[in-house]
Amino acid sequence: MNEQEKHSQHGDDDLVEETRMLSLGEDEVVEETVEAGQKVRRRGIYLLPNLFTTAALFSGFYAIVSAMNGAFDNAAIAIFISMVLDGLDGRVARMTNTQSDFGAEYDSLADMVSFGVAPALVAFSWMLSDIGKLGWFAAFIYVAGAALRLARFNTQIGSADKRWFIGLPSPAAAAIVAGIVWTFSDLDLSAPGYKYVLAFLVAAIGVLMVSNVRYNSFKEIDFKGRVPFLTLFVIALVFVVIAYDPATVLLVFFLGYGCSGPFRAVFKGKKA
């Protein structure tokens, strides 16, 4: 191969590499590339929505560390904080028009830590470790359910009915586990029966995440539209009730949401 052919071959390689980089999307992590023998910088990632995702990831990690140190209240609260931050990152991305494939993947990985690994380890550190293999088996069912739930959700984006979630959403599942820990962590629940009940609940929540049970997504609610004046007063009362006993109120709310899917499926089955 002569020098001209080598130069042509290198040029073709550069073109292929450049095409491959562009096919990843302009929002992917590409620091620099080569064009006509010169290095040219490409766009990186959007900062604002990924800051919220990073904060949610930190809260999930903090929940794990707190549970390892026996601070179960703090661990449960950190999971709820992670839920709030996880809800904000997507909305911020849409409001600022900074959605990206990288952000979606990063959000899924953060969700796996905050709503998959963290709740399972918090429950395991709190009670499940006392019942041996059955405890970690129940915790693993939850973790596996969360991983499969997130993977299925990512593959159904754009094709599923936006009015419904297929399977219990992982943030709601994490909220149920965190609510149980937060509500009952100060009580003396040393009897083995309580621990077996917790193992059953954690495993059942993991199964619900991978089930075909439908849950309302509430995405049809128009937050930009006008509402009656009384609605604002009712919302204020809801905040007052939550502030009075946040652990119990949040547990009841998310437990009710978790039961709503199976109840709807049973009711529709009997009706048919």
Side-chain angles (χ1 to χ4, degrees):
M1 182 180 292
N2 58 36
E3 184 176 351
Q4 183 177 0
E5 289 175 337
K6 290 181 180 180
H7 179 74
S8 177
Q9 180 65 36
H10 286 305
D12 291 341
D13 291 341
D14 291 342
L15 181 60
V16 170
E17 179 66 16
E18 177 67 14
T19 303
R20 187 184 70 83
M21 289 296 187
L22 290 176
S23 66
L24 293 174
E26 64 178 9
D27 55 350
E28 300 297 332
V29 184
V30 181
E31 295 297 331
E32 60 184 20
T33 185
V34 177
E35 291 182 358
Q38 296 182 349
K39 291 184 178 180
V40 178
R41 289 188 175 273
R42 292 294 185 186
R43 292 185 180 181
I45 60 175
Y46 294 114
L47 178 61
L48 187 58
N50 290 307
L51 280 178
F52 284 94
T53 304
T54 303
L57 176 62
F58 174 80
S59 294
F61 178 76
Y62 179 81
I64 296 173
V65 174
S66 296
M68 293 172 60
N69 292 327
F72 300 111
D73 285 355
N74 293 341
I77 293 171
I79 291 175
F80 279 108
I81 293 175
S82 185
M83 285 181 58
V84 175
L85 294 169
D86 178 68
L88 288 175
D89 61 0
R91 286 173 173 79
V92 169
R94 288 188 292 271
M95 290 174 59
T96 57
N97 196 26
T98 53
Q99 303 100 316
S100 68
D101 292 337
F102 173 85
E105 295 297 329
Y106 185 33
D107 181 69
S108 292
L109 293 174
D111 287 353
M112 184 58 209
V113 174
S114 300
F115 308 135
V117 177
L121 290 182
V122 170
F124 183 81
S125 299
W126 178 44
M127 271 195 184
L128 296 183
S129 59
D130 296 336
I131 55 177
K133 292 182 179 180
L134 183 61
W136 66 256
F137 182 67
F140 176 74
I141 290 177
Y142 179 93
V143 173
L148 293 170
R149 170 70 178 82
L150 290 167
R152 182 174 64 178
F153 176 80
N154 289 341
T155 60
Q156 292 177 338
I157 293 177
S159 60
D161 189 344
K162 293 184 178 181
R163 297 175 301 172
W164 305 97
F165 290 125
I166 306 301
L168 180 64
S170 57
I176 296 174
V177 176
I180 293 173
V181 175
W182 192 5
T183 303
F184 299 106
S185 61
D186 292 334
L187 303 180
D188 183 15
L189 304 177
S190 57
Y194 294 115
K195 298 170 185 178
Y196 288 113
V197 170
L198 178 64
F200 171 78
L201 289 175
V202 170
I205 293 169
V207 172
L208 279 176
M209 281 191 282
V210 297
S211 68
N212 290 324
V213 176
R214 296 197 306 173
Y215 286 88
N216 199 317
S217 66
F218 301 108
K219 291 184 178 181
E220 70 276 8
I221 299 177
D222 184 12
F223 291 98
K224 297 180 180 180
R226 294 179 179 271
V227 296
F229 177 78
L230 185 60
T231 303
L232 189 60
F233 179 72
V234 173
I235 294 175
L237 288 179
V238 170
F239 281 114
V240 171
V241 173
I242 294 176
Y244 178 75
D245 190 356
T248 303
V249 173
L250 290 173
L251 173 60
V252 170
F253 175 80
F254 284 104
L255 189 60
Y257 180 74
C259 294
S260 66
F263 284 164
R264 181 184 292 108
V266 171
F267 178 76
K268 291 185 67 175
K270 290 182 177 180
K271 189 175 180 180

